[in-house]
Amino acid sequence: MNLAIVHSRACVGVEAPPVTVEVHISNGMPALALVGLPETSVKEAKDRVRSAIVNAGFEFPSRRITVNLAPADLPKEGGRFDLPIALGVLAASGQIPDTSLQNTEFLGELALSGELRPVKGALPAALAAKQAGRCLVVPDQNGNQVALVGKALHKSAPSLLAVCGHLCGQASLSLSCSAPHEDPPSSGVSRDMQDIIGQQQGKRALEIAAAGGHNLLFLGPPGTGKTMLASRLCDLLPDMTVAEAMETAAVASLTQQSIHEGNWRRRPFRTPHHSSSMAALVGGGSVPRPGEISLAHNGILFLDEMPEFERKVLDSLREPLESGEIVISRATSKMTFPARFQLIGALNPSPTGYYEGSQARTNPQAILRYLGRLSGPLLDRFDMSIEIPALPRGTLADGGDRGEPSVVIRQRVAQARDIMQGRAGRVNALLSTRELDKYCALDKPDAEFLETALHQLGLSIRAYHRIIKVARTIADLAGCERISRAHLAEALGYRAMDRLLKQLSAQMV
């Protein structure tokens, strides 16, 4: 038979649309033509396939070979189609049976020796193949990712020769899962809250943020523990559910990160440098790739020294913080990446790092210009902002109050999250306006108290709702069914940035 059909998968964002590789061999001058909107990296497959077939001990047909990648209007890029093209050539030339190709999909880049090299986006392809009821064959290096979907269904191979042996019935393939480089227990705590001396209010705010999934902003002079506090947040959060972990791993597989059974349920913690561009943060490129906000999906995005980021880069976070996704549009394509992350920020209160005292060396106008690098709408997206002050004199000499260990706080966070999941099926930070009315109803005196405080601080309606969400989390941590005045008062205490801006504005009048 001169025609062979092999099934494969493209990589379009976090989706893996099916691609049918059709190979036809006919009489004529020896040549290999690739059609079906292939990119440059796909066009170069003809040389890799020829060398791989010859070095694997097969014969490359000296006839006219036409390879069609269908559908023709879907752009194809990368070396992921090398293996299906090679198998199509061998099947069309009668060197391997084509009957075994019907219920199997193939992905893999070929080396000139015939060895298989890993490809990006193997996990979304494995999910799509499982849904279609087909087995997926990938390179051995992608075995750890595919194993997360199903060890019994999918397979991996080290080379083209091994795949052909499997199709000919001479050998059988299994899913190769290499031992992970690091496999600590998911519940293990590598850093502890007791490493931080003092800062009990900051630790309390971190506990509330962990329980309710709230965005948190640390404000304070350098060296007071802002970064240390932020780095402990991952140790307080519960592991991701299987569905959440699969979404996060699908995004991570597009960047060829190390994903295995030992780490795939741990929440990501991304810390981009302040020199990062907008494309690096939100994603982009001629062929759109996920940015830091998508790689932090279901996890934490920590921005240290926030005023040092470009303002337009920071403002690009506003829409993903509300919608939980980022849409990247290009002239030829439009891709959507998930971006449901928890934002933690840290900054100094002035260009010198200090707000008051002899070390400040600045005036209110300069401080306002410095803080003005953060737009008001962005600051509005933070549920909580808290000052992390310098430790009082004598704290270090006495050893300080180190508070509770992370294990104890993590238990309280888990209990509060169980309450939230049982009530609304999500953490409090993600409650809609209708759900706020249903689960966060306030008594009229408490509502009037909060509205008065809102006007005194000059806050928006969005801030009003965020304060109620924080108060609901505080009540859940205390095991209370209703929000009380004490919970609202504590939630209002976590508005340090609003109070600082109001105080600076008053000083300039």
Side-chain angles (χ1 to χ4, degrees), residues 269-383:
F269 184 82
R270 307 293 299 187
T271 58
H273 191 259
H274 60 73
S275 61
S276 299
S277 65
M278 184 181 298
L281 203 61
V282 302
S286 56
V287 178
R289 290 287 185 264
E292 291 291 335
I293 62 173
S294 295
L295 296 174
H297 182 58
N298 290 322
I300 301 161
L301 179 68
F302 175 51
L303 302 182
D304 202 1
E305 307 296 343
M306 284 190 67
E308 302 302 327
F309 285 83
E310 292 187 21
R311 179 164 177 163
K312 64 178 182 179
V313 173
L314 291 177
D315 283 342
S316 65
L317 301 178
R318 287 155 51 179
E319 292 180 10
L321 281 170
E322 294 293 333
S323 63
E325 63 181 18
I326 179 69
V327 180
I328 302 175
S329 298
R330 294 292 180 265
T332 58
S333 63
K334 179 179 178 181
M335 296 187 186
T336 301
F337 294 103
R340 178 71 66 189
F341 59 94
Q342 187 174 354
L343 179 60
I344 308 297
L347 72 155
N348 298 325
S350 72
T352 63
Y354 299 89
Y355 168 56
E356 295 176 329
S358 58
Q359 294 176 301
R361 307 190 313 275
T362 188
N363 53 48
Q365 292 87 345
I367 296 176
L368 278 177
R369 283 197 302 270
Y370 178 75
L371 297 178
R373 300 178 185 177
L374 307 179
S375 66
L378 176 64
L379 291 176
D380 226 13
R381 262 73 175 182
F382 283 99
D383 303 336

Side-chain angles (χ1 to χ4, degrees), residues 81 129 197 223 281 370 409:
F81 302 109
I197 300 175
L281 203 61
Y370 178 75
I409 302 175

Side-chain angles (χ1 to χ4, degrees), residues 34-185:
L34 273 172
V35 296
L37 207 60
E39 301 289 345
T40 302
S41 57
V42 181
K43 293 179 181 179
E44 294 173 347
K46 60 179 69 175
D47 298 315
R48 294 192 296 268
V49 167
R50 179 183 291 106
S51 297
I53 288 178
V54 172
N55 290 323
F58 295 96
E59 179 186 354
F60 190 82
S62 297
R63 301 168 66 186
R64 181 171 182 82
I65 304 173
T66 304
V67 179
N68 179 39
L69 306 177
D73 59 346
L74 178 69
K76 291 91 179 174
E77 54 94 18
R80 60 197 303 112
F81 302 109
D82 290 3
L83 177 59
I85 291 174
L87 293 176
V89 171
L90 293 175
S93 60
Q95 300 182 66
I96 62 173
D98 60 347
T99 55
S100 55
L101 299 175
Q102 299 177 359
N103 297 320
T104 309
E105 299 181 0
F106 301 89
L107 286 179
E109 178 182 339
L110 285 172
L112 299 184
S113 62
E115 300 295 320
L116 287 177
R117 290 174 175 164
V119 296
K120 294 184 291 186
L123 185 58
L127 288 168
K130 181 180 180 181
Q131 188 174 4
R134 292 197 184 104
C135 166
L136 177 68
V137 177
V138 297
D140 279 345
Q141 291 90 331
N142 291 122
N144 284 330
Q145 297 181 21
V146 176
L148 303 177
V149 179
K151 292 184 178 180
L153 179 62
H154 303 311
K155 304 180 185 301
S156 65
S159 64
L160 172 63
L161 186 60
V163 176
C164 293
H166 170 73
L167 295 175
C168 293
Q170 300 174 354
S172 60
L173 293 177
S174 60
L175 191 59
S176 175
C177 301
S178 59
H181 298 294
E182 53 177 0
D183 191 10

Side-chain angles (χ1 to χ4, degrees), residues 7 10 22 75 84 101 165 181 191 229 252 297 317 319 335 353 359 367 370 384 402 406 424 478 493 495 503 507:
H7 300 285
E22 302 171 338
L101 299 175
H181 298 294
R191 299 169 298 270
L229 282 167
H297 182 58
L317 301 178
E319 292 180 10
M335 296 187 186
Q359 294 176 301
I367 296 176
Y370 178 75
M384 308 163 65
R402 294 183 178 268
S406 294
R495 309 295 302 187
Q503 182 179 351
Q507 291 179 0

Side-chain angles (χ1 to χ4, degrees), residues 242-263:
V242 174
E244 290 175 336
M246 198 64 72
E247 292 176 355
T248 304
V251 177
S253 70
L254 303 179
T255 59
Q256 291 188 334
Q257 293 186 31
S258 176
I259 308 169
H260 51 76
E261 292 179 328
N263 69 359

